[in-house]
Amino acid sequence: MADMTSMPNSTTVLIVGAGPSGLATALSLLHHGFKHFVVVDAVEQGENTSRALVVHAATLEALDTIDCGEEIVAKGTKARSINIGNRSSKLVSTNLSSLDKHTRHPYALIIPQSLTEYILGEKLKSYGVTVHRPCKVISLKMNEDDDDLTDVVFEDGKTITAKYVIGADGARSVVRQMAGISFTDPKTGEKGDRITNLAQMVIADIVYEGGDKNDLGFLATMSPESFFLSMPLPNSFNDLLAENGQEVRGQIYRIGAGVPLVDGEIPHSPSKEYLQNLVDRFGPTVLSSDPSVNPSSTPVRIKEIIWATRFRTHSAIAEKAFTRLGGDELQGATGAADNSTTKRGGIILLIGDAAHIHSPAGGQGMNLGIRDAVFLGDALIKHINASTSQPSSIDADYILREFAEERHKRALEVIAFTKNLLSLLGTQDKKISWLFPISATTVRDWVMWLGGKLSFMQARMAWAMSGLGRR
């Protein structure tokens, strides 16, 4: 049962969700000297699956502004180049050091999401802030005594009243659903992406045995049927697992692969044999368990699975990231529509996966959510101060509308980027046309090989991945 005894009956800001976005929102508020908030999460602590894996330069710069960047950098591994090849050779290498003219973080930081959450959570704890768990929100309703407040009801019947409710509760956000905000693909209006070889994927954290460990670095492999990824995780992840009672000896690697739809549905809990088959079919030959294929004298096999999951790649964005809740009616606006200054109802804001989701291509999801959170802290402080100092006839909501507009635009940009990258990496092995009987994957490989030879193309790829152009 949750320890609800220390939770107040009311607060100015209620943050629903203690993933990276929710924690970063709390830390951003603290950085601005604001402490009248409560953080709740629906699950118990100790969720140590790694999920997202990369923190990019733009996100590290945002974290630096709230004094959280250094701790995260210290626990991660700096990847200064990204190599992509076919099963037997390298096609392109993106040198991230070209970013050094634009940022103090010219690299991609490899760090599991669970470790990022742990670091942010410990930072929050050092300020004396408790995350209340497990506290599952089941409904939102307008407060009977004050239309500008929202009563948030939890599964056990407890209610907390808040002026601002921040939905940082993930892709299946209860806050978003209770507010009646739609969540669809911005291009198709549906819940799916175009069909590629990456329409369904499996990712796992594993330990290898055999092979030359010096050859098992960051390996991204394109093949006619799939895209495969293998990268070593920082040793600090082993330490975190041990702290949670899971001792793992040896280097842990993240692997990921698209599974062709003709293979059928991915098992709910992929076995070692299932994952090994994907490595042998779609991974680089240096990871093959078949000695007749592997150029090393010792083939490589999966020794242990730490964690694995499956998912379908799709994109969606919330119709609005800011609204006011009014009984059964939605009131307020994002920048998309309403400019009324007479709206009533408690303020609802969405960030992170509650506001937008997309494919994992390029490792952009958690990054965008953390940046949402850092910038939201600033917008909330401005709105709180404006609401306090200005007459009630003055509309301070323009501050939150502008925030929501900007984050909506950034999310659309990221969704477009990841869709294009997903289509490139997941190109299906089809002939371009009867006039040009060349497979689309062959053309893709040629284009990427040529692009990798041009320094300005490398710089453009590094810039696109970093997020510095769409903070």
Side-chain angles (χ1 to χ4, degrees), residues 98-154:
S98 62
L99 298 172
D100 60 6
K101 294 174 266 196
H102 311 288
T103 178
R104 62 187 290 259
H105 301 291
Y107 48 82
L109 189 75
I110 308 302
I111 181 169
Q113 178 179 329
S114 53
L115 188 51
T116 300
E117 286 183 15
Y118 176 80
I119 293 167
L120 295 177
E122 288 299 298
K123 183 90 169 180
L124 197 59
K125 194 183 296 183
S126 72
Y127 287 102
V129 177
T130 298
V131 175
H132 299 274
R133 306 172 181 266
C135 302
K136 184 177 181 181
V137 173
I138 60 169
S139 78
L140 310 176
K141 58 184 180 180
M142 181 182 285
N143 182 268
E144 293 181 357
D145 300 321
D146 188 337
D147 290 349
D148 286 340
L149 300 178
T150 299
D151 290 338
V152 181
V153 182
F154 295 92

Side-chain angles (χ1 to χ4, degrees), residues 58 69 73 96 99 124 135 137 170 181 194 207 211 213 227 286 289 299 309 311 316 318 350 376 400 417:
V73 171
L96 300 179
L99 298 172
L124 197 59
C135 302
V137 173
I181 299 173
R194 70 193 83 173
V207 177
K213 297 298 189 294
F227 176 79
V286 295
S289 65
T309 190
F311 58 91
L350 303 177
L376 175 59
L400 299 181
F417 172 72

Side-chain angles (χ1 to χ4, degrees), residues 341-342 344 387 390-396:
T341 61
T342 59
R344 307 292 293 174
S387 300
Q390 294 179 355
S392 58
S393 60
I394 302 297
D395 176 28

